[in-house]
Amino acid sequence: MSEHGYVLPPTRAGRFVISDVAVVDVAGGAAIPGQDVTIDHGVIASVRPHGEPVATHHVKVDGHGRWLAPAYVDGHAHVLNSPSGVEASHALMLASGIWGWRQLSGDNQLLDARRAGRLPSYPGSPALLAMPGQVLTPLNAGDEAQTRETVRSQAARGADFIKVAMTNRETCLAAIDEAATLGLPVVGHLPDDLDPREASAAGLRCVEHLGPGNGVFSAVSRRGDEARRHGRPRSLPPFAGRFEPLVQKVITRVVVNPQMATSADDAVAMRIADDGYDPALAAELAQVYREHETWQCPTLIRLHTMEFADAHEHTRDAGVRYVDPAEVRRWRLMTRRFRRLPDATRRAFDRRWHVQVDFLRALADADVAMFAGTDANGAGWVIPGLALHDEFALLAHAGLSALQILRMATAAPARFLGIEDAHGQVREGFAADLVLLGGDPTRDVAALSDLHGVVRGGGWWDKDDLDAILERVAAEPTAR
Ligand SMILES: [Zn+2]
């Protein structure tokens, strides 16, 4: 690798013009052809019809025949815990047109490092847009009192939100209640014993992975009560509290594919819920989400790689060349064990996938607020950066329009994060984080992945630069 790392300094920065380009109006849902977009030190200085006089000293990037859209947000990733290293992930994200991400797991060290300005950053690094403290599990949220204490201490440490991962109805509701008094949102995985309608009404801000457990799918099933009776709450191993480093190792292994922990009983509970899937109940739940502004970050790529871990599209994904070989070995080991799961369990996953896709379409039809994410870094076969483009394709497969998907990657996460006044649109005064595309992303989802250049933080990397970044990561994907 060059002494500069994976990403060389941008070939254009400061003041330059992207000329004669079609500007994508994300809010309006159309592209306006023939525009000159002036970038000035990280900010969009002007958007004007092509040909109006522009200061001659401005370097030009020819945008003719291209579309200029806001760069993307990966709304769900674990970059800072990446087993493959943060620098490689950042490079892959830049090369994939991603300007920022929401980090879904933090800890005291990361919160302190951010406050001290000591988080790793490289040329073109995507921005860390929000980060929680340690995710809530029985380790730090064993009962209501401990949960409230944990929420208070994470808030004091500077967490932007609270992430629940393994809670129950009591501790999840306590977290939401305590966090509300501190002005912090709570997001995460719904406990199986908490009805999503109750969680939504209580103020849960965002559901990750559409649930991901059986709670949501019991709530949209005519056989929900029966499914719940078969369910068994997930828990940590009993030794968990005493051996933190060991627990971290276990978690790293489990994160590769949490579905590996599906028991025969769990599979039965899934089948019961999914056999009773009722579109009318799904539409009702969607209305509840809308009413209480409960967001969704579906991460279909994560769900698909968990439920079809041995599919060739994953195991033969050419993108694994960008991933640390030690990490890929963990994925292959998981996949060998995945193949040995009982047929009934595999069938339950297959059925669950189809229900998840139907449910997602029901949410989209009801205009439930959603943004795109991947769960990259640690998740089996989910390749940082590139996975967001897999996500676009899967969202399209689920029936969402190109425009819906474009919004889920740009304006919607900006709104969710409260930064919509300066991000997520190509407008004067907005941040110059942009992608130059070979097609119209309001009409064709494939255009979102047809990258011809990226502006990140006001610097310009063209397609050759982006390809070179990918090659440098492939040459040395191991954490440094
Ligand atoms: Zn995650």
Side-chain angles (χ1 to χ4, degrees):
M1 184 188 320
S2 98
E3 59 182 302
H4 295 290
Y6 300 116
V7 179
L8 304 188
T11 53
R12 306 239 190 294
R15 294 155 75 97
F16 61 96
V17 180
I18 302 177
S19 71
D20 196 13
V21 72
V23 166
V24 174
D25 174 5
V26 173
I32 303 122
Q35 304 291 303
D36 287 346
V37 177
T38 307
I39 315 286
D40 191 351
H41 293 89
V43 176
I44 300 172
S46 66
V47 180
R48 295 201 186 126
H50 178 57
E52 282 186 14
V54 170
T56 46
H57 63 271
H58 283 181
V59 183
K60 285 201 176 86
V61 171
D62 183 12
H64 182 74
R66 310 271 186 234
W67 283 255
L68 191 66
Y72 312 131
V73 170
D74 187 338
H76 185 134
H78 299 265
V79 181
L80 296 175
N81 322 104
S82 173
S84 285
V86 174
E87 186 174 2
S89 296
H90 278 187
L92 293 173
M93 292 165 89
L94 176 67
S96 304
I98 295 169
W99 79 269
W101 90 98
R102 184 176 60 130
Q103 170 79 18
L104 265 290
S105 46
D107 55 37
N108 287 341
Q109 289 87 328
L110 287 171
L111 290 170
D112 292 350
R114 178 176 63 173
R115 193 145 51 179
R118 282 189 286 101
L119 286 178
S121 180
Y122 312 93
S125 275
L128 169 61
L129 300 174
M131 175 165 68
Q134 199 104 48
V135 299
L136 268 55
T137 69
L139 290 180
N140 58 5
D143 58 24
E144 183 181 336
Q146 192 190 17
T147 302
R148 290 184 184 273
E149 176 53 37
T150 296
V151 169
R152 283 195 298 271
S153 85
Q154 293 188 359
R157 210 96 186 197
D160 302 313
F161 62 93
I162 303 296
K163 161 104 181 270
V164 293
M166 263 187 192
T167 55
N168 56 36
R169 179 180 176 277
E170 181 199 10
T171 53
C172 186
L173 292 176
I176 295 171
D177 182 63
E178 190 68 32
T181 67
L182 300 161
L184 286 192
V186 176
V187 312
H189 304 187
L190 277 166
D192 281 358
D193 64 347
L194 175 57
D195 190 296
R197 291 162 288 216
E198 186 180 6
S200 177
L204 184 75
R205 176 93 166 123
C206 184
V207 178
E208 311 296 327
H209 323 294
L210 299 177
N214 226 19
V216 166
F217 296 97
S218 299
V220 294
S221 172
R222 276 174 280 102
R223 299 177 67 188
D225 289 338
E226 199 186 332
R228 275 186 284 265
R229 279 197 301 277
H230 270 82
R232 146 187 86 82
R234 298 268 169 101
S235 60
L236 287 173
F239 58 80
R242 286 183 287 135
F243 301 103
E244 282 278 350
L246 181 58
V247 171
Q248 274 314 320
K249 264 196 170 155
V250 170
I251 288 173
T252 305
R253 218 172 55 222
V254 169
V255 160
V256 172
N257 188 349
Q259 282 290 27
M260 297 299 298
T262 304
S263 70
D265 282 348
D266 295 335
V268 170
M270 285 170 73
R271 276 313 290 258
I272 293 170
D274 292 341
D275 286 346
Y277 175 72
D278 184 344
L281 290 173
E284 275 174 37
L285 176 56
Q287 286 312 319
V288 173
Y289 284 161
R290 258 187 71 104
E291 185 186 338
H292 300 286
E293 291 176 74
T294 308
W295 287 71
Q296 307 288 314
C297 185
T299 68
L300 289 182
I301 182 58
R302 170 58 148 163
L303 299 175
H304 197 276
T305 52
M306 287 199 300
E307 290 155 6
F308 303 97
D310 62 344
H312 285 167
E313 63 198 279
H314 304 314
T315 61
R316 296 183 190 169
D317 189 331
V320 299
R321 72 196 196 99
Y322 306 122
V323 181
D324 184 346
E327 172 75 347
V328 176
R329 275 197 296 278
R330 280 192 284 275
W331 299 356
R332 296 210 183 280
L333 187 66
M334 171 274 289
T335 303
R336 280 202 292 280
R337 289 170 46 232
F338 183 88
R339 287 202 184 98
R340 296 200 290 268
L341 287 172
D343 284 350
T345 302
R346 300 288 304 271
R347 283 197 299 276
F349 291 161
D350 189 291
R351 174 83 180 124
R352 173 54 53 93
W353 168 256
H354 288 95
V355 168
Q356 283 164 330
V357 166
D358 285 355
F359 178 57
L360 174 62
R361 198 167 39 244
L363 297 176
D365 288 348
D367 218 5
V368 170
M370 297 197 276
F371 55 90
T374 63
D375 213 5
N377 307 100
W381 306 123
V382 178
I383 296 162
L386 285 71
L388 191 62
H389 296 273
D390 297 332
E391 183 69 12
F392 296 159
L394 287 170
L395 290 167
H397 163 83
L400 276 63
S401 72
L403 181 58
Q404 281 174 312
I405 296 165
L406 171 68
R407 286 172 173 161
M408 282 178 69
T410 56
R415 191 157 59 86
F416 174 79
L417 294 161
I419 54 173
E420 71 271 33
D421 289 345
H423 298 274
Q425 309 272 353
V426 188
R427 283 189 192 157
E428 264 180 37
F430 274 55
D433 295 309
L434 305 162
V435 286
L436 189 67
L437 303 173
D440 183 350
T442 67
R443 294 160 178 272
D444 174 14
V445 73
L448 284 161
S449 304
D450 187 9
L451 287 179
H452 288 262
V454 173
V455 181
R456 162 71 190 121
W460 163 254
W461 287 267
D462 69 17
K463 183 161 172 50
D464 290 343
D465 299 331
L466 301 178
D467 288 344
I469 291 169
L470 290 174
E471 286 315 309
R472 282 192 288 272
V473 176
E476 196 182 329
T478 306
R480 298 192 300 152

